[in-house]
Each structure stands twice: as structure tokens, then as C-alpha cells.
Amino acid sequence: MRIEVQVDINEIVWEADPYGFISREFGNERSFTVRMWESESLTGIIKDLLEKETGYRPESWSFKKCYVIRELV
């Protein structure tokens, strides 16, 4: 089943950013919705989405909110 998920994350730590340059340029918070299969990895989707948006891959983050908005038919 496909679902739509609201994701609010903060405290993003970017890969290969020991001095915080990427954090200063792109920030460390994001809010977005994703459409995904229930069986997909949300972690992988978040990493791919942020890399596509910024050109940099996140290493870790904290969830502020994460919930299913609806099931898609």
C-alpha cells in the first residue's frame, strides 16, 4: 500500500562537514511530505531527497514529527 507521510526533521548532521559549512549554507531543519510504499525505507528516502535538494548527503537527524497523512489508493 502507498502512503503519504509528513516528515519534520531537525538537528541534521551532514556527511563530510566537520566544520559546519554545509549546515550554515543549507540549515539543519526540513519539513516535507513524501509518497512511499509502506515497505520502503523512510531513512533512505530522506537521505536521497536531501541529497537531491542540496547536493549533500545527511549523516543523521532527529525527528520533530513524522506521521502518515493518508493512505493512497
Side-chain angles (χ1 to χ4, degrees):
M1 172 184 316
R2 287 187 57 82
I3 55 176
E4 187 170 14
V5 180
Q6 174 65 39
V7 178
D8 298 335
I9 58 175
N10 63 359
E11 301 176 6
I12 300 169
V13 175
W14 301 94
E15 289 182 358
D17 188 29
Y19 303 108
F21 297 127
I22 299 168
S23 291
R24 284 192 289 281
E25 184 175 347
F26 292 104
N28 63 355
E29 289 190 22
R30 293 288 189 286
S31 294
F32 49 87
T33 59
V34 294
R35 291 182 175 191
M36 59 184 283
W37 293 101
E38 268 186 312
S39 60
E40 284 183 287
S41 165
L42 183 59
T43 301
I45 290 172
I46 291 171
K47 285 184 176 188
D48 292 345
L49 187 127
L50 292 178
E51 184 176 25
K52 184 177 179 182
E53 178 185 323
T54 65
Y56 300 98
R57 198 155 178 87
E59 184 176 296
S60 64
W61 56 84
S62 295
F63 284 101
K64 285 172 50 176
K65 293 181 189 173
C66 182
Y67 56 91
V68 174
I69 296 172
R70 63 184 170 150
E71 296 176 352
L72 303 170
V73 180

